[in-house]
Amino acid sequence: MSVLTRNEAQTRAQLLDVHRYTVDLDLTTGEATFDSTTAIRFTARTAGDTFVEIKPETLRSLSLDGQPLDPERLDGNRYPLDSLTAGPHELTVAATMRYSRTGEGMHRFTDPADGETYVYTQLFMEDVQRVFAAFDQPDLKSVFDLTVTTPTGWTVLGNGVSTQAADGRWHIAPTPPISTYLVAVAAGPWHSVTTQHAGLPFGIHCRRSLAPHLDADADEILDITRACYDRYHEKFDEPYPFDSYDQAFVPEFNAGAMENPGLVTFRDEFVYRSAVTDTERQTRAMVVAHEMAHMWFGDLVTLTWWDDIWLNESFAEYMGYQTLTEATRFTDTWTDFGVARKGWGYDADQRPSTHPVAPDPDAVPDTASALLNFDGISYAKGASALRQLVAWLGEKDFLAGINTHFSRHKFANATLADFIDNLATATDRDVHTWADAWLRTTGVDTLTAHVETSGHSWNLTVDRAGDRPHRVTVGTYDHSLDTHTGTDQLTLRDRFDIDIPQDGTPVTQPGHRPDLVVLNDHDLTYAKIRLDPGSWDTALTHLSGIPDPLTRALVWNTARDMVRDGELHPTVHLTAARTHLPYETDLALVQGVLGFAATQIADRYLPPQDRPTALATLTSLCRDLLRRTEGLTAKDWEQAPGTTTPGSPDPGLRLIAVRHFIDAATQPDAIQDWLREGTVPGGPELDAELRWRILTRLAVLGATDETAIAHELDKDPSATGQEGAARCRAALPTAEAKAAAWQAMFTDDTLSNYLFTATAQGFWQPGQSELLHPYVARYYPDAIALAARRGPAIAEAAGRHAFPAHAVDLDSIRLGEQALTDPALTPALRRKLTDQLDDLRRALAVRDAH
């Protein structure tokens, strides 16, 4: 199959104007395939040659302006259109298309809970070709008019309002001009909750087996949707540009969500069927806000070519967090961003695969290379850069610039140059120079504070390793005694802004030297921070006493970066976590710090012989958190989200502690007792997620067997249960279990994307290195062959989840480096291997540094 190059797209865009797609999909033809008929009306500006893309099971017929064409001329995914005459044309294509099990194209899923079947499209980048014929590039926008035939009892959702013309025959209202990758269809016996807001129909949808769980959260989801919708209309001059707003929670979805106009699709894990923390609810709310921002950033105004993907993702990321903070009860979202997202950007930006937020167009020559840029750079770093831009520019001028951008390019396409020019109309500041420094460069700056005392004042100077200008807030804190508890606290003395680089003159402040000086105190810039020695000593001993959770997040990120850079021993980080997390009140911080300690420090950065001690430390920490949350009643567990009384035990904190206690268990007895009793002493009662979590850990420890796994699956035959069973079976420490899991992942080619991921997650365990050692060498050739057979989605999963991440040694790195020279390596897998090998080198360097 050929990937589209930027040069080909530019040539085709110069030749064609595409006006309308009339698409007819018949989903009643069987379980393996569906029928697709497409009529494309377009105009050739001049005479010339071009092509249309389609990836059929069978190409049945084509005609151009009523004259039949030879289906045998299909070359891979391209059908040539030779010698087009100038003027209007109509191309008709009839094909049989194959359903997907990998979340690409038209994905088909049969729910094991009730036998009901659902299909939905994910057409991002170049997968529209798996559903219907198209001139598949973002700058050939068109009207799309779809009709869908389904089995009786199904409902069809799409980019516009859908109506049932006859039994099983649905018509979706034609769209305004949108890009091919944004077309969406979701069909099946959906459970739906509908309402109206601002004169538009709103709906949320899920498969029927999840109906009780969606109903339980429907008010929360719809309230957030309405609040974000209203807030965006306060920010943006252009009104919401589509005729409805549906949100469908769909099974086995590869991304978090997809911004299809009028029909946002989400992974249906966001329909919570087990207990979750309020931070996880906040994450779902942020995704709702993120995808709604795309209705303007990406859907109304769309990138011209994929080098400007940041114009979609960075803006939606920034707007999602900011708007959620402004419009909903989730007012601390930037703390979660600092803990859960920003490190993603920092990590990506320090790998050899890093790239600018806005890469040079020549660096994105085709769609295969473009797909690699959906990463921590385009999301987290880009959002951080925009946050710095707003701090530097001011929100008023920022919003004025983007509203000019919308007005000039609505229902059309735009480039980075267009955007910067539009921003420049709203300010006297040099945004072009800012863009060059922030969007065209790679790497993470490091800002290091130096504090000196001078008489009755103190001086601050900042060293900058890097080239970007920064405007940051400096926070200063002093020790104080809490008269009620008798404990030593930190109290904010002052906050002030400085520009970096400085003009050479230290910033002088009156009074004695503060006990803690924090650069970037509001976390408004994107840079690694290093505290002065006195401040670092204060932070290590008083981190939990810092009053602002966003400041605590920044200090925890500093500790994280120092561990990764070999500047702080991993056990010092663990000791800090053991000391301070029992007093932490922000759930995002507890979850983030525990997650880093468990998956990176214990599992990778410490040598294997030190891992049991690290797990014991984590177990003790979790026991402290469980003691802190004793006294919860059944009513506490049932209370409405976000209504925990200040000072009372938080069910979310206890849930985090329970999860991590299970994951860190080195002996099976305690968690076996929980599973047998169906509850944790003092709560919570075990729901399906916790039962599978315990059973997975017991499998890793060799304390369960196939009989117990099958019994649990009988109790929970849902899709999530199927994944839990696959994870448990792959985690069993026997040669037979590992061989069966490997066969399922790398030979059978029958696993869906989610079952593949679950099997991979169970397979590699840091405590089973001897058993797994032979598979390290097998991984590379098997993964390369698998990626070539099954495509980018499975390639990404194989590189992310099936990689031997715990094989931190030179032999594993050497094998990986050899694999990178294999000409059969697909771009998607190459990028993942490049990143994973760099992480192995970093882990090895951390071990060697200490």
Side-chain angles (χ1 to χ4, degrees):
M1 296 290 179
S2 299
V3 296
L4 184 69
T5 70
R6 178 171 170 267
N7 290 337
E8 288 173 329
Q10 288 177 331
T11 299
R12 188 161 61 178
Q14 291 167 359
L15 177 64
L16 301 182
D17 281 321
V18 185
H19 309 301
R20 192 179 193 91
Y21 287 79
T22 303
V23 180
D24 195 320
L25 303 175
D26 186 347
L27 309 181
T28 65
T29 60
E31 297 182 359
T33 61
F34 61 97
D35 284 352
S36 169
T37 302
T38 308
I40 313 174
R41 290 170 48 200
F42 65 97
T43 297
R45 295 193 186 99
T46 64
D49 300 334
T50 190
F51 56 90
V52 68
E53 289 106 326
I54 188 169
K55 299 176 181 177
E57 179 74 5
T58 304
L59 184 56
R60 298 197 306 271
S61 66
L62 305 91
S63 66
L64 181 64
D65 302 328
Q67 298 301 309
L69 302 176
D70 181 6
E72 295 298 320
R73 295 194 65 206
L74 180 67
D75 183 8
N77 62 322
R78 295 183 176 186
Y79 192 90
L81 299 175
D82 301 331
S83 303
L84 281 175
T85 58
H89 297 279
E90 181 168 317
L91 175 70
T92 302
V93 181
T96 299
M97 313 298 286
R98 180 162 291 277
Y99 287 115
S100 165
R101 290 301 315 284
T102 61
E104 302 159 295
M106 181 78 80
H107 187 83
R108 183 182 175 96
F109 170 85
T110 298
D111 192 339
D114 58 13
E116 298 282 12
T117 295
Y118 302 84
V119 303
Y120 65 88
T121 58
Q122 170 66 347
L123 306 187
F124 182 72
M125 191 66 79
E126 54 186 10
D127 282 335
V128 67
Q129 305 164 35
R130 297 173 179 259
V131 178
F132 58 87
F135 298 113
D136 191 11
Q137 60 190 72
D139 57 341
L140 288 178
K141 285 189 166 183
S142 178
V143 172
F144 289 85
D145 187 350
L146 272 70
T147 301
V148 184
T149 302
T150 71
T152 301
W154 282 22
T155 300
V156 171
L157 308 170
N159 298 108
V161 172
S162 60
T163 54
Q164 190 169 17
D167 192 22
R169 185 80 171 160
W170 294 80
H171 180 245
I172 302 169
T175 67
I178 62 173
S179 299
T180 50
Y181 76 91
L182 294 170
V183 177
V185 172
W190 301 109
H191 171 73
S192 300
V193 180
T194 59
T195 187
Q196 290 233 343
H197 183 66
L200 294 177
F202 280 30
I204 53 176
H205 316 269
C206 72
R207 48 193 163 102
R208 284 181 178 173
S209 65
L210 295 178
H213 309 293
L214 183 68
D215 288 347
D217 281 357
D219 287 345
E220 177 181 322
I221 295 169
L222 289 171
D223 284 348
I224 288 164
T225 303
R226 286 186 286 255
C228 291
Y229 182 93
D230 292 344
R231 185 64 180 136
Y232 284 134
H233 278 83
E234 294 171 3
K235 289 174 177 285
F236 304 150
D237 294 339
E238 290 293 329
Y240 175 73
F242 307 104
D243 72 358
S244 54
Y245 198 77
D246 285 300
Q247 298 173 101
F249 297 87
V250 299
E252 298 187 325
F253 197 68
N254 283 324
M258 178 64 197
E259 67 270 19
N260 313 302
L263 176 59
V264 178
T265 42
F266 297 81
R267 57 171 53 221
D268 66 11
E269 289 97 324
F270 283 130
V271 179
Y272 300 129
R273 69 184 202 123
S274 294
V276 294
T277 69
D278 209 41
T279 297
E280 288 166 314
R281 292 184 178 278
Q282 177 178 278
T283 297
R284 177 175 67 186
M286 193 287 297
V287 178
V288 169
H290 173 116
E291 302 306 326
M292 187 178 288
H294 272 308
M295 300 298 119
W296 289 266
F297 291 103
D299 296 359
L300 178 67
V301 180
T302 311
L303 45 74
T304 300
W305 181 245
W306 301 108
D307 55 311
D308 281 327
I309 192 59
W310 79 281
L311 285 171
N312 288 11
E313 299 304 342
S314 300
F315 276 89
E317 188 88 343
Y318 168 77
M319 283 293 175
Y321 279 97
Q322 185 62 29
T323 302
L324 203 64
T325 298
E326 296 169 356
T328 74
R329 69 180 178 85
F330 297 112
T331 57
D332 291 326
T333 58
W334 287 113
T335 300
D336 186 43
F337 177 83
V339 174
R341 300 292 273 184
K342 208 160 188 182
W344 181 32
Y346 289 149
D347 295 355
D349 213 8
Q350 296 175 83
R351 295 183 179 123
S353 62
T354 188
H355 57 88
V357 173
D360 187 276
D362 292 339
V364 189
D366 54 39
T367 52
S369 58
L371 190 60
L372 309 182
N373 287 350
F374 288 81
D375 57 12
I377 304 293
S378 295
Y379 286 79
K381 180 182 178 180
S384 300
L386 289 175
R387 200 163 187 232
Q388 173 68 184
L389 174 63
V390 174
W392 176 73
L393 199 62
E395 186 177 43
K396 180 180 178 182
D397 289 351
F398 174 73
L399 290 176
I402 63 175
N403 277 312
T404 298
H405 188 66
F406 294 153
S407 176
R408 289 179 174 177
H409 303 285
K410 59 185 176 182
F411 296 116
N413 300 82
T415 65
L416 168 63
D418 295 325
F419 177 75
I420 298 302
D421 287 346
N422 293 327
L423 272 186
T425 66
T427 180
D428 293 331
R429 292 200 176 234
D430 187 355
V431 291
H432 291 86
T433 298
W434 180 91
D436 287 341
W438 275 91
L439 305 180
R440 294 297 196 189
T441 59
T442 62
V444 186
D445 289 2
T446 301
L447 307 180
T448 302
H450 300 280
V451 178
E452 295 180 352
T453 301
S454 177
H456 297 290
S457 62
W458 61 279
N459 299 326
L460 170 67
T461 56
V462 180
D463 288 342
R464 176 187 61 162
D467 299 317
R468 297 189 189 99
H470 301 265
R471 184 162 183 79
V472 302
T473 298
V474 178
T476 60
Y477 299 82
D478 295 317
H479 290 300
S480 64
L481 184 66
D482 187 321
T483 56
H484 295 289
T485 64
T487 58
D488 189 13
Q489 301 290 315
L490 288 172
T491 303
L492 176 68
R493 180 199 296 186
D494 191 19
R495 283 194 175 107
F496 55 90
D497 294 337
I498 63 173
D499 289 311
I500 301 170
Q502 296 168 276
D503 61 7
T505 304
V507 176
T508 300
Q509 295 288 302
H512 64 84
R513 187 223 133 97
D515 294 308
L516 175 64
V517 178
V518 180
L519 297 178
N520 195 29
D521 194 32
H522 283 148
D523 202 21
L524 294 178
T525 198
Y526 173 84
K528 293 194 290 186
I529 302 301
R530 294 295 183 263
L531 306 182
D532 68 276
S535 293
W536 183 240
D537 289 343
T538 298
L540 282 178
T541 54
H542 291 81
L543 207 162
S544 55
I546 297 172
D548 188 339
L550 187 56
T551 308
R552 297 197 299 274
L554 185 136
V555 175
W556 277 116
N557 270 347
T558 296
R560 175 189 183 279
D561 291 335
M562 291 173 70
V563 170
R564 284 174 45 80
D565 291 345
E567 299 172 17
L568 183 70
H569 198 289
T571 57
V572 176
H573 187 287
L574 269 180
T575 300
R578 179 74 181 83
T579 301
H580 295 292
L581 286 191
Y583 306 98
E584 180 55 62
T585 57
D586 190 281
L587 296 187
L589 273 171
V590 176
Q591 179 58 53
V593 174
L594 271 175
F596 178 72
T599 62
Q600 298 301 314
I601 290 178
D603 288 357
R604 302 188 77 181
Y605 291 157
L606 289 174
Q609 63 269 23
D610 293 342
R611 186 168 180 269
T613 302
L615 293 179
T617 299
L618 291 172
T619 299
S620 296
L621 169 55
C622 291
R623 283 200 181 99
D624 278 354
L625 293 173
L626 290 172
R627 281 192 287 269
R628 175 178 157 189
T629 54
E630 287 176 346
L632 286 165
T633 66
K635 185 177 180 181
D636 293 323
W637 288 100
E638 295 169 359
Q639 66 186 346
T643 60
T644 301
T645 303
S648 65
D650 187 333
L653 182 61
R654 189 170 183 86
L655 182 59
I656 292 171
V658 167
R659 290 171 176 172
H660 281 274
F661 185 93
I662 294 167
D663 294 347
T666 56
Q667 299 297 323
D669 297 350
I671 58 176
Q672 274 180 329
D673 289 344
W674 292 0
L675 189 63
R676 187 180 309 110
E677 297 297 326
T679 186
V680 178
E685 294 186 2
L686 299 186
D687 56 28
E689 188 274 333
L690 289 176
R691 293 188 65 85
W692 282 115
R693 197 179 200 106
I694 290 174
L695 200 60
T696 299
R697 189 61 189 164
L698 292 175
V700 172
L701 297 174
T704 192
D705 56 22
E706 171 58 33
T707 300
I709 296 169
H711 176 69
E712 194 66 33
L713 187 58
D714 286 340
K715 294 171 63 175
D716 178 22
S718 67
T720 307
Q722 299 282 347
E723 294 157 27
R727 193 176 293 109
C728 288
R729 287 165 175 149
L732 290 168
T734 67
E736 295 78 13
K738 297 303 181 185
W742 197 265
Q743 171 82 6
M745 286 190 291
F746 290 105
T747 303
D748 289 349
D749 288 357
T750 58
L751 291 181
S752 71
N753 49 338
Y754 270 40
L755 286 173
F756 179 95
T757 294
T759 304
Q761 289 169 335
F763 186 86
W764 295 106
Q765 298 294 332
Q768 299 175 350
S769 56
E770 184 174 341
L771 180 64
L772 295 171
H773 179 73
Y775 290 97
V776 176
R778 290 181 61 179
Y779 168 77
Y780 294 101
D782 287 4
I784 291 170
L786 178 75
R789 291 195 311 272
R790 300 201 67 189
I794 294 296
E796 203 276 343
R800 180 186 300 272
H801 301 291
F803 182 83
H806 305 118
V808 183
D809 57 63
L810 289 173
D811 284 344
S812 180
I813 293 170
R814 177 182 52 79
L815 288 168
E817 290 172 342
Q818 289 175 350
L820 290 178
T821 67
D822 191 326
L825 194 59
T826 64
L829 185 58
R830 178 181 297 278
R831 169 64 186 273
K832 294 306 300 181
L833 294 186
T834 298
D835 290 351
Q836 293 277 28
L837 290 168
D838 189 65
D839 288 352
L840 283 185
R841 294 187 201 97
R842 182 177 289 270
L844 193 59
V846 169
R847 291 184 182 183
D848 291 344
H850 306 291

